[in-house]
Amino acid sequence: DTGVSQNPRHKITKRGQNVTFRCDPISEHNRLYWYRQTLGQGPEFLTYFQNEAQLEKSRLLSDRFSAERPKGSFSTLEIQRTEQGDSAMYLCASSLAPGQGYEQYFGPGTRLTVT
Amino acid sequence: DQQVKQNSPSLSVQEGRISILNCDYTNSMFDYFLWYKKYPAEGPTFLISISSIKDKNEDGRFTVFLNKSAKHLSLHIVPSQPGDSAVYFCAASGEGADGLTFGKGTHLIIQP
């Protein structure tokens, strides 16, 4: 399977704990995106990378959120001091650079529940 | 404020008929539009896209129409099949931003 993969698929944590999610993009894609989706809403853009450079951050990405893509391959999204409002599905997507196609291909997501 | 709007939360269509899903946008800087399909517990799956320089794009049973003056696009599925039952999201990009802006989705139900 050469699609986008995400781990873990589910995460339950207590308020105040830190969590980290991983995304492995499609191997030839140099762009990687993070989105968050809550019930009844469409995915909301958080941030994206071109290779290892983080090029854009949404205002939704508070200081408690940090994303990395150290070698331009997989990426991690960390949430520090989780709050109940962080409960959501966290989606990763990858794409080729503009000029080669704008379509973003999504992984299955990580569902976070903060208790 | 929502820049991409899907005003029908759900739509029920008989198998074999045409399904038409609608999407409106407010940001005139959007220049690329996409439709995604989502099953429960899965990530969105890319279906079809259209650039703002075109007014129609077709791929098999799926056709997307873009009316720039009305800031409106629609997805036509014909004929509709039971496996088409899912939530459909309209998304847009542009204005120098590379993150997609999504609508809230339309739940399509294909009746046998």
Side-chain angles (χ1 to χ4, degrees), chain A residues 9 31 33 35 37 40-45 48 56 89 91 98 101-109 111, chain B residues 2 31-32 34 36 38 41-46 48-49 89 93 96-105:
Chain A
R9 293 292 306 274
R31 287 200 166 188
Y33 306 79
Y35 292 82
Q37 186 177 17
Q41 303 294 319
E44 296 172 294
F45 170 73
Y48 91 93
E56 189 180 345
M89 175 75 84
L91 293 162
Y102 287 92
E103 293 79 19
Q104 296 181 19
Y105 295 88
F106 284 81
R111 180 164 296 285
Chain B
Q2 273 229 297
D31 58 10
Y32 204 78
L34 308 90
Y36 285 85
K38 188 179 185 302
E42 295 184 11
T45 301
F46 170 72
I48 192 168
S49 61
F89 289 99
S93 72
D98 290 285
L100 296 175
T101 301
F102 282 82
K104 290 188 177 184

Side-chain angles (χ1 to χ4, degrees), chain A residues 1-8 21-29 31-34 68-69 72-77 91-95 105-108 110:
Chain A
D1 183 11
T2 57
V4 178
S5 63
Q6 293 187 246
N7 288 289
F21 311 139
R22 176 177 169 129
C23 171
D24 289 87
I26 294 171
S27 57
E28 61 266 30
H29 286 181
R31 287 200 166 188
L32 186 149
Y33 306 79
W34 286 100
E68 293 184 346
R69 194 182 183 198
S73 57
F74 73 91
S75 174
T76 57
L77 178 68
L91 293 162
C92 175
S94 69
S95 75
Y105 295 88
F106 284 81
T110 295

Side-chain angles (χ1 to χ4, degrees), chain B residues 50-93:
Chain B
I50 188 166
S51 163
S52 60
I53 62 172
K54 295 185 175 181
D55 54 20
K56 177 182 173 182
N57 188 26
E58 194 170 352
D59 183 1
R61 296 187 298 116
F62 302 93
T63 303
V64 57
F65 295 92
L66 175 62
N67 182 336
K68 281 191 299 183
S69 60
K71 293 192 177 68
H72 177 83
L73 63 155
S74 60
L75 174 68
H76 293 211
I77 306 173
V78 56
S80 300
Q81 297 175 354
D84 296 331
S85 294
V87 177
Y88 289 78
F89 289 99
C90 171
S93 72

Side-chain angles (χ1 to χ4, degrees), chain A:
Chain A
D1 183 11
T2 57
V4 178
S5 63
Q6 293 187 246
N7 288 289
R9 293 292 306 274
H10 303 274
K11 178 72 178 177
I12 299 174
T13 191
K14 292 186 177 179
R15 189 179 55 178
Q17 298 293 305
N18 299 345
V19 293
T20 300
F21 311 139
R22 176 177 169 129
C23 171
D24 289 87
I26 294 171
S27 57
E28 61 266 30
H29 286 181
N30 50 16
R31 287 200 166 188
L32 186 149
Y33 306 79
W34 286 100
Y35 292 82
R36 180 178 69 186
Q37 186 177 17
T38 53
L39 198 61
Q41 303 294 319
E44 296 172 294
F45 170 73
L46 294 177
T47 187
Y48 91 93
F49 294 82
Q50 178 154 318
N51 300 314
E52 64 275 8
Q54 190 171 14
L55 296 186
E56 189 180 345
K57 294 183 190 180
S58 160
R59 62 179 182 273
L60 293 175
L61 207 68
S62 78
D63 291 345
R64 296 183 298 105
F65 287 68
S66 63
E68 293 184 346
R69 194 182 183 198
K71 296 181 181 178
S73 57
F74 73 91
S75 174
T76 57
L77 178 68
E78 181 183 16
I79 309 174
Q80 296 183 327
R81 305 180 304 282
T82 51
E83 302 173 356
Q84 287 189 319
D86 297 332
S87 294
M89 175 75 84
Y90 289 84
L91 293 162
C92 175
S94 69
S95 75
L96 296 168
Q100 297 173 294
Y102 287 92
E103 293 79 19
Q104 296 181 19
Y105 295 88
F106 284 81
T110 295
R111 180 164 296 285
L112 173 66
T113 303
V114 182
T115 62

